[in-house]
């Protein structure tokens, strides 16, 4: 007789059973033919919506501007150490990827989440929002940078803010709120600026991307950079990295007699 099997998984984004993959119903080749870009594929697979031309231009800029930030940052450094240890590309990239978390690159989702919360619960009360964050969350995700500050502004942030505010019609309540928060935090400490994670998170909330998709933008963009660092180290035949003693503060006890 007929055997009825319950489906194991349910998908709502893509289907490869025809001649080619369809992303939320759109054939991949048709998207290419009609001039859509990777930013539109992101819109389809992450938000099940084809972004407008204006939205696509913003998404494209977010990816371009956060693709890499040099070799010194946690992610790239992790991939470089792995590349120098002879690790293959996927594993070296995942070594860098492992660094993406609440302090480095992985604050996008929570920045979007909490600034959105501030807009709703503390609309005209930034200090109320900051006290709530201090009591309930800790450091404000999306605020603060190790080297960028009022004196050494982050050009990426300035560019994105200027682009969405002066070159698009996007309504930006979340970004505007975060910029007000930045005024208060930088008055306390020069480096408590709205950082790249915070800026991206707010713009994506204003673009109506789902909260839990937001870290995906940094992960996707930085993958491009980490692959670049792996290729670069391999091209140079880089040697195994071992830290010199002077880079380590050996705070252990002197040799002891038993
Ligand atoms: N304080 C980012 O901190 C960093 C505070 C704060 C209230 C805050 C810190 C932080 C939130 C997480 C976040 C994304 C760890 C950063 C990125 C991508 C990147 C990276 C690159 C790229 C830096 C010193 C004092 C303490 C703290 C207070 C600090 N942050 N208070 N809210 N948000 N931010 N991460 O300089 O009184 O002295 O005890 O966690 O948004 O990852 O380029 O490097 O593209 O690759 O190490 O841009 O801000 O300072 O943690 O020692 O704090 O400031 O409470 O106060 P620092 P800390 P006190 S973008």
């Amino acid at each position: 007789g007929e055997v009825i099997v319950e489906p194991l998984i349910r998908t709502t984004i893509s289907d490869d059973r025809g001649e080619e993959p369809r992303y939320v119903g759109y054939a991949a080749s048709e998207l290419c033919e009609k001039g859509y870009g990777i930013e539109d594929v992101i819109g389809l697979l992450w938000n099940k919506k084809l972004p407008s031309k204006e939205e696509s231009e913003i998404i494209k800029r977010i990816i371009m501007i956060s693709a890499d930030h040099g070799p010194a940052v946690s992610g790239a450094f992790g991939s470089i150490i792995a590349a120098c240890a002879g690790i293959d590309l996927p594993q070296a990239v995942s070594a860098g990827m492992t660094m993406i978390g609440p302090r480095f690159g992985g604050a996008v989702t929570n920045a979007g989440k909490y600034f959105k919360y501030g807009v709703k619960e503390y609309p005209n009360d930034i200090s109320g929002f900051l006290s709530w964050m201090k009591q309930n969350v800790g450091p404000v995700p999306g605020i603060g940078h190790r080297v960028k500050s009022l004196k050494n502004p982050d050009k990426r942030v300035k560019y994105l803010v200027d682009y969405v505010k002066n070159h698009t019609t996007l309504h930006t309540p979340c970004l505007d709120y975060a910029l007000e928060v930045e005024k208060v935090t930088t008055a306390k400490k020069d480096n408590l600026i709205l950082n790249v994670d915070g800026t991206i998170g707010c713009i994506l909330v204003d673009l109506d991307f789902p909260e839990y998709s937001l870290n995906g933008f940094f992960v996707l963009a930085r993958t491009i950079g980490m692959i670049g660092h792996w290729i670069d180290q391999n091209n140079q035949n880089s040697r195994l990295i071992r830290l010199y003693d002077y880079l380590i503060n050996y705070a252990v006890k002197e040799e002891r007699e038993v």
Side-chain angles (χ1 to χ4, degrees), residues 69 102-105 140 142-146 156 189 195 222:
H69 206 212
R103 291 185 186 156
F104 165 73
V140 183
I143 292 285
H145 199 275
R146 179 54 71 84
R156 302 170 297 174
K189 211 162 171 246
N195 62 38
R222 211 40 80 87

Side-chain angles (χ1 to χ4, degrees), residues 192-214:
L192 294 183
I193 54 158
L194 178 63
N195 62 38
V196 76
D197 285 29
T199 309
I200 294 175
C202 290
I203 294 173
L204 291 166
V205 164
D206 289 331
L207 278 173
D208 216 19
F209 266 87
E211 205 170 277
Y212 37 85
S213 73
L214 308 189

Side-chain angles (χ1 to χ4, degrees), residues 95-114:
M97 219 31 83
T98 306
M99 304 300 160
I100 297 182
R103 291 185 186 156
F104 165 73
V108 188
T109 291
N110 278 340
K113 172 179 165 173
Y114 288 114

Side-chain angles (χ1 to χ4, degrees), residues 93-162:
V93 170
S94 74
M97 219 31 83
T98 306
M99 304 300 160
I100 297 182
R103 291 185 186 156
F104 165 73
V108 188
T109 291
N110 278 340
K113 172 179 165 173
Y114 288 114
F115 287 128
K116 190 174 167 186
Y117 175 83
V119 172
K120 188 162 172 262
E121 301 295 333
Y122 294 92
N124 297 309
D125 180 12
I126 304 294
S127 57
F129 169 69
L130 287 172
S131 314
W132 186 87
M133 289 298 289
K134 196 171 180 181
Q135 250 176 15
N136 297 282
V137 181
V140 183
I143 292 285
H145 199 275
R146 179 54 71 84
V147 295
K148 298 294 177 187
S149 65
L150 284 182
K151 278 191 226 76
N152 176 29
D154 193 332
K155 178 80 194 284
R156 302 170 297 174
V157 170
K158 298 283 170 219
Y159 175 80
L160 284 175
V161 172
D162 175 68

Side-chain angles (χ1 to χ4, degrees), residues 6 13 36 39 77 91 107 114 161 171 205 217 221 239 244:
E6 281 286 310
I13 57 166
Y36 289 99
E39 53 281 2
F77 190 49
Q91 290 74 27
Y114 288 114
V161 172
H171 181 49
V205 164
F217 286 82
R239 297 181 66 201
Y244 293 105

